[in-house]
Amino acid sequence: MSDAAQPTAAEVRAAAEAVKTALDRHLAAVERRSGEDDPAVYEAFNELAAAAEEYDELLYDRYDEVTPFEIPGTDDALPPYQGPDEANALSVLLRRDYTVVEPQRLLAQAQRVADLEAGGAGGAGSADTVHSALGVLFGEFEPDEISSRHKEFGLEEGDSTLWVTAVDTPAEPGEWLDAPFDQADPHRVLCRFDVSVVFDDELDDGGLDGLDGLDGLDTDVDIDPDVAVPLDDIDEPDPDIEEPGAAGDGVGEADRDGPGARRTGL
């Protein structure tokens, strides 16, 4: 950056004062908060984040120095909830992206399904294009099964998101089928669950610390497939010990799905 483009010392000082003011406003909003989703706290939070980010950039441009603060991305935060206090009806919105990486595998799997549906008589032409093959597979399998078996179908997973939104009253049958996603209001999202490879960066930055000792483990273990374990030798689980992920233990889907997952909201 050229000297002419650098911020002045006065501009850096003004940005620092703006951070102090934003801190005071945020604390005041927190002290006066009217509930868990108080919009005043949300607004003060965003102002503080913006002021801190501005100061961090000017400080670096002027003095080649950084702050110790990590500014959270406000784009990932949910806006203030404006739905009913008691959510008696819900709408679940799901999006999963895929890329067709092995068209021949996709066509073969779809044709196999089509042939089975035709009673072995052959489903010629029913799955002879990628377009028709996708229609066959997604018409035969549930979305969760497609997700768990996507490699078998020649697909590669991209980002996915699931929104749980509150609605005032249950929809009438067929009411929203013509435009199912037009009423996706982020202000009514109770919680959302996102999966993306961008979240793996958090693990790359040290999230796997403590696993270095696994490098010396011997993974070349020979297993004799002819040796069976008698069912009588398998210990029955203790009914008094609650399984992880059982109701009431606070473990959500994001906790079980591992890297690349993030839950926002409740």
Side-chain angles (χ1 to χ4, degrees):
M1 175 178 291
S2 65
D3 292 339
Q6 287 184 346
T8 65
E11 289 174 329
V12 178
R13 173 63 61 180
E17 293 298 327
V19 173
K20 298 175 186 178
T21 301
L23 274 170
D24 291 337
R25 290 177 177 172
H26 182 260
L27 178 58
V30 171
E31 292 173 336
R32 298 192 304 266
R33 72 188 312 161
S34 58
E36 184 177 350
D37 299 313
D38 190 333
V41 175
Y42 177 78
E43 182 178 357
F45 172 87
N46 287 339
E47 291 178 356
L48 175 57
E53 185 173 10
E54 176 72 10
Y55 171 63
D56 188 84
E57 291 179 357
L58 292 178
L59 185 71
Y60 181 79
D61 291 343
R62 175 68 185 182
Y63 299 110
D64 198 23
E65 190 59 65
V66 297
T67 66
F69 311 120
E70 180 180 354
I71 309 302
T74 57
D75 290 341
D76 293 334
L78 289 174
Y81 177 71
Q82 298 177 1
D85 294 334
E86 297 293 335
N88 298 317
L90 303 175
S91 182
V92 179
L93 308 177
L94 173 65
R95 170 173 174 170
R96 290 187 178 128
D97 285 358
Y98 296 94
T99 303
V100 179
V101 292
E102 297 183 75
Q104 294 306 315
R105 179 184 290 271
L106 173 70
L107 292 167
Q109 290 281 28
Q111 191 62 58
R112 181 181 62 83
V113 172
D115 289 345
L116 289 174
E117 289 183 345
S126 60
D128 55 355
T129 66
V130 170
H131 180 84
S132 60
L134 290 171
V136 169
L137 290 177
F138 279 88
E140 176 69 17
F141 300 105
E142 294 291 333
D144 286 344
E145 188 168 2
I146 293 286
S147 178
S148 63
R149 300 175 57 186
H150 63 276
K151 292 183 179 179
E152 296 179 35
F153 303 137
L155 303 175
E156 182 178 282
E157 282 188 311
D159 290 354
S160 68
T161 187
L162 182 147
W163 291 18
V164 180
T165 64
V167 296
D168 295 322
T169 58
E172 295 294 331
E175 179 180 341
W176 47 257
L177 291 180
D178 290 339
F181 305 112
D182 279 3
Q183 298 180 0
D185 185 355
H187 291 88
R188 285 178 168 258
V189 174
L190 295 168
C191 63
R192 60 180 290 178
F193 180 54
D194 301 320
V195 176
S196 175
V197 294
V198 299
F199 301 145
D200 291 336
D201 294 339
E202 298 172 1
L203 293 179
D204 296 337
D205 293 337
L208 297 180
D209 290 346
L211 299 183
D212 296 338
L214 300 179
D215 294 340
L217 292 180
D218 184 7
T219 58
D220 298 328
V221 179
D222 294 331
I223 300 177
D224 189 346
D226 296 327
V227 177
V229 179
L231 294 178
D232 295 340
D233 293 343
I234 301 177
D235 295 334
E236 291 293 328
D238 189 340
D240 295 329
I241 299 178
E242 187 170 314
E243 293 281 345
D249 69 349
V251 179
E253 291 297 330
D255 303 307
R256 294 194 290 268
D257 286 359
R262 174 172 294 173
R263 177 182 292 275
T264 307
L266 302 179

